[in-house]
Amino acid sequence: RRDVAKKATKKSDKAAPHTRQRLVKTGETRRYGGIPCTVYKAYVGQSRRSPKSELCVATRRDAKISEADYQALMAMNRYQGKMSELAQRGSGFLAFLISDYVAKNVDGVVIYATSYTPATELSLASVSRRPVPAAVFQIPGGYKKEKVF
């Protein structure tokens, strides 16, 4: 097994114990939706024995994602991470998402994820390469911009 967590920085050294994160590459491989992926165990807090979640990460090429689409996906992940960091400041542990940590520390696409507490499982079932209708990106009538923070 190989610990892929980056060396601690002064900022993460000061993080609350429940937000310290560690990702371990297990060496196991699987397939979801016909796509090969590498299994990682995610640990949060002081625990070194009990992972909080398990992830399977595919390379961009194995997932057959274009470089442009992959960069767009990574940009969305970075934005989600920033939103989670803001929420964490106000809500603490409840706003913590291991996916934010994965997006910053693993090069690839998460195609399977399970959380042990609470029990949740997400898995890629199939891949479709059809264009998305423009209407999907339209803001529904009646919605207005609100300032959250």
Side-chain angles (χ1 to χ4, degrees), residues 125-142:
S126 65
V127 176
S128 174
R129 304 210 186 283
R130 298 177 306 199
V132 179
V136 171
F137 301 101
Q138 299 298 315
I139 298 171

Side-chain angles (χ1 to χ4, degrees), residues 37-91:
C37 56
T38 302
V39 177
Y40 291 82
K41 300 276 184 177
Y43 299 83
V44 178
Q46 304 292 342
S47 175
R48 296 203 176 271
R49 294 185 183 189
S50 301
K52 294 295 182 192
S53 63
E54 181 179 287
L55 309 154
C56 208
V57 180
T59 65
R60 177 188 67 78
R61 283 194 171 94
D62 285 341
K64 295 183 174 72
I65 297 175
S66 72
E67 181 63 30
D69 287 345
Y70 181 72
Q71 292 306 321
L73 179 62
M74 293 301 101
M76 288 189 305
N77 285 343
R78 286 189 298 274
Y79 181 74
Q80 177 188 3
K82 288 177 186 177
M83 288 178 56
S84 179
E85 286 172 15
L86 285 173
Q88 227 177 44
R89 290 181 200 153
S91 303

Side-chain angles (χ1 to χ4, degrees), residues 21 31 34 41 76 83 91 111-112 114-115 117 126 144-145:
Q21 308 136 20
R31 293 181 91 78
K41 300 276 184 177
M76 288 189 305
M83 288 178 56
S91 303
I111 61 171
Y112 171 86
T114 186
S115 174
T117 52
S126 65
K144 61 182 182 175
K145 188 174 182 176

